[in-house]
Amino acid sequence: MPRFSVIVPCFKVQGFLRECLDSVLLQSFNDLELIAVDDCSPDGCGAILDEYAERDPRVKVLHLPENVGLGRARNAGLPHATGDYLFFLDSDDTLTPGALRAVADRLAEAEDPDVLVFDYARTYWWGGTRRNVLAQVLAEAGADAFTATDRPEILDLLMVVWNKVYRRDFVEEHGFEFPPGYYEDTPWTFPVMLSARRIAALDRICLNYRQRRQGNILSTTSRKHFDIHDQYERVFAFVAEHEELAGWRPYLHRKMGEHCLDILAKPDRLPPADKAEFFRRTAEMFRRHRPEGALVDGEVALLEGGYPAYRLKRQAARAGQEAGRWTAQLRREAALRARSGWTGLHALRPLDPHLVVYSASSHRGVLGDPAAVYRKAREIAPQLRGVWVVRDEEAAAQLPPDVEHVLVGSRRYLEVTARAKFFVNDVNWPGSLAKRPGSVHIHTHQGTPLKYMGADLLDKPGARLGFDVPQMLRRADRWDHSLVANRHSELVWERAYPCHFTSVRTGSPRNDVLVGAADGDGAAFRARHGIPEDHLVVLYAPTRRDYRRGGHVDRIDLARFAADLGKGCTLVVRLHPTLATGPARGMGLTELARRGIVVDATDEPHVEEVMLASDMLVTDYSALMFDYANLDRPIVVHADDWAAYTASRGAYLDITAEAPGHVSHSYRELAWLFASGSWQDEEAARLRADFRERFCEFDDGRAAERVVRTLLLGESMPEGAAVRIPGQNAGSDLLAST
């Protein structure tokens, strides 16, 4: 019999689930069972749970046939629990290291109390951590066990289920279970705490309570918040059935009033049209359950008046704060009008349903995924007008003559962005761009993520130096659709960008040309750079380093590598775009290219053409490898500084363990791979096939068409010839804590 049964209900938390499960299974105290309940989750939760159960016998998984809600999902796990103590852990929260050992030791010291209450910390998406403000209640409780009557202040702590462990025999003796609906913790926690004969406290943070930016059920605006009334009715009914608890009625009466008023005051809970009804129902319940002689003062006294009086009180309290906000808002609006002038009139006109605004790579030109969508739209939806945003006249001069464009910040830019129905971009739009109701923002990203992105950078101060993560997330709040090429990307983007958007499994539009690649597709590049047709072209694409100022680190002696490749080979080098204008090329690349020792493809605008012209890829940690895998050509990962790279930037998976080909950890190993021919052996082909199955999952050659038809035109994809959609090869994503 294990000491702990950890019950974890799961619903739409795939981005956080691995971190939650790992926090339990990697505890130093391992005398536990983990009962995971898949509450018919529509995302990847079920598959993740099965993966963990397959490799760890302590994990039991229940797949419910229908969604029953958080409380009943916990109930479903209860009959399967065999541990001495029950621990209900929400699937987006995590245990702190050493938490179970500390809890076990405290239980032994307190001689197995009915309930043990421990401390927690709120962890915020922007990186902040705040300890429970009433932590002193736990510190002052002492070592001895007590009851709620002995220490009523214990009930002032957050009345949730997850900051406690419960003796299973005690729970079964009283038949405690969770009701349906929101606030299901309330009719569990009060009866449990009032019934417990022995309660102990642990003054230690054992749980990180994640404050989710999006997706938290209680932050969802809905009439479901009316459930709080039914939940307190259950509490009052329990007290009525147990005469020994009658003395708690005044406390619970006030607690109910305070709790309901708190819900009413929060702007994101109740629909505005339902607030008056919520107040009336709360006031009626408050009057009906008022014990004789109960003191009604302070905030709850508002419930003895009407809703208009309540609103006046609230409005008066907010008057000064609101006045300050309005003043600041008016100043911002005045500044915007001064800058944009007449363009404000365009914001009053209806959206143009045929206008699509495109941008790529911070307005550098017609590039990447947005370019592929643009070209496909011109082909199959000529009624759509595509306008590109470019950063300056120099970038505009590089555009094909038939591409309509505007310069960022210009009056024409302000006009088209005010009228456009659709926005397609692979990076965030400027913060000054206001999203109009009805407009649709399609975010394509820039490939499959290996290194940490978005909110995950909060724990990597070197990588986010000068990078405003909160501001970036406010801009990402405008996304409606996030394109993904594989389930790994879907998982990462939903975690790294905790915003309202829909993940769309379209594949990467720019990879359509790679999926359908034919012999000779890269001939133009070879001819332009004077590469003989019979040469083996090795593409070397290093990424930037966050542990070095400027981002550039020479990991390979390019002249030596080109010489070691030997006759009949051409080394093509493409630096990371952020290094193109820095000193990296002045460190030797420019001179080597001038002498014809290597080909410098850094300035080539279309990386797809460079990939098509090559026969194999050598990279370190560039996301280019995920795109290149579509070509089914050999890839070598040169990982001689993997430890430093992951320490400074972080990575979602160990690319040295799940590589698309052979891995070299030194230049000597890299040279040997080529000298021996191992770079293209059967093992390399097997690794590449596994990698393609996992990371090229939705790349089928029709991604751009899928975006145009389904997202821009609102149509269904037509039936067509069979396309290649590789199956998924399960693997682990190291979504480490941020």
Side-chain angles (χ1 to χ4, degrees), residues 570-649:
T570 296
L571 178 61
V572 175
V573 180
R574 182 179 176 86
L575 299 179
H576 191 277
T578 61
L579 303 176
T581 58
R585 294 156 105 177
M587 301 295 289
L589 178 58
T590 298
E591 177 63 11
L592 291 174
R594 185 191 67 79
R595 292 164 52 193
I597 296 174
V598 302
V599 171
D600 182 6
T602 304
D603 288 334
E604 286 288 332
H606 304 293
V607 66
E608 298 85 1
E609 188 178 9
V610 182
M611 289 190 282
L612 287 167
S614 67
D615 297 298
M616 69 89 57
L617 170 69
V618 176
T619 186
D620 36 35
Y621 324 116
S622 171
L624 196 70
M625 73 178 84
F626 299 96
D627 301 331
Y628 197 86
N630 282 284
L631 291 170
D632 198 20
R633 299 174 187 175
I635 302 173
V636 169
V637 174
H638 185 58
D640 65 333
D641 65 339
W642 177 242
Y645 183 86
T646 53
S648 61
R649 181 61 189 244

Side-chain angles (χ1 to χ4, degrees), residues 152-214:
E153 64 271 18
I154 198 71
L155 299 181
D156 292 334
L157 296 173
L158 192 61
M159 282 289 101
V160 291
V161 68
W162 42 255
N163 63 349
K164 309 168 185 72
V165 294
Y166 313 86
R167 189 166 55 82
R168 183 167 59 87
D169 290 345
F170 162 71
V171 170
E172 292 177 350
E173 173 190 348
H174 289 270
F176 293 126
E177 63 178 9
F178 294 91
Y182 282 15
Y183 304 99
E184 74 292 332
D185 286 6
T186 299
W188 166 282
T189 306
F190 281 117
V192 165
M193 294 296 286
L194 297 180
S195 301
R197 294 179 292 274
R198 300 182 69 252
I199 301 171
L202 173 59
D203 182 23
R204 184 191 191 278
I205 295 175
C206 296
L207 182 140
N208 286 322
Y209 176 30
R210 188 190 301 272
Q211 305 298 285
R212 288 170 64 182
R213 198 167 174 271
Q214 306 286 359

Side-chain angles (χ1 to χ4, degrees), residues 5-11 13 16-25 32-39 45 49 58-64 69-70 73-78 81 86-95 162 207:
S5 292
V6 184
I7 299 176
V8 183
C10 307
F11 183 74
V13 287
F16 307 105
L17 184 54
R18 291 184 186 278
E19 185 180 356
C20 172
L21 300 177
D22 288 343
S23 77
V24 177
L25 299 174
L32 63 93
E33 62 181 1
L34 192 155
I35 302 168
V37 184
D38 172 17
D39 191 14
C45 285
L49 296 179
R58 296 174 296 171
V59 179
K60 304 176 183 178
V61 179
L62 306 178
H63 294 284
L64 302 186
L70 182 57
R74 290 171 178 155
N75 290 342
L78 279 173
L86 302 172
F87 193 143
F88 298 97
L89 178 64
D90 286 354
S91 48
D92 54 354
D93 296 336
T94 56
L95 298 185
W162 42 255
L207 182 140

Side-chain angles (χ1 to χ4, degrees), residues 220-259:
T220 303
T221 303
S222 167
R223 281 185 61 88
K224 287 288 289 180
H225 293 283
F226 279 77
D227 287 355
I228 189 64
H229 300 120
D230 291 338
Q231 306 297 24
Y232 270 101
E233 290 287 6
R234 292 183 172 100
V235 174
F236 290 128
F238 181 85
V239 171
E241 294 171 359
H242 297 78
E243 294 182 3
E244 72 276 11
L245 301 180
W248 285 102
R249 290 187 62 206
Y251 173 86
L252 295 171
H253 174 254
R254 173 177 286 272
K255 194 72 173 180
M256 180 273 293
E258 293 173 346
H259 196 168

Side-chain angles (χ1 to χ4, degrees), residues 367-431:
L367 304 168
D369 289 309
V373 174
Y374 169 75
R375 288 190 291 267
K376 184 58 67 173
R378 294 187 69 173
E379 174 189 335
I380 65 176
Q383 71 271 29
L384 296 177
R385 173 192 170 199
V387 179
W388 280 85
V389 176
V390 292
R391 59 187 178 186
D392 50 34
E393 293 288 358
E394 182 180 354
Q398 305 299 317
L399 299 177
D402 61 340
V403 173
E404 185 178 356
H405 69 276
V406 294
L407 298 183
V408 65
S410 66
R411 284 192 171 186
R412 287 276 296 123
Y413 164 82
L414 294 171
E415 176 185 345
V416 298
T417 55
R419 296 292 315 284
K421 170 72 173 180
F422 300 99
F423 292 79
V424 182
N425 200 351
D426 60 5
V427 295
N428 264 319
W429 292 96

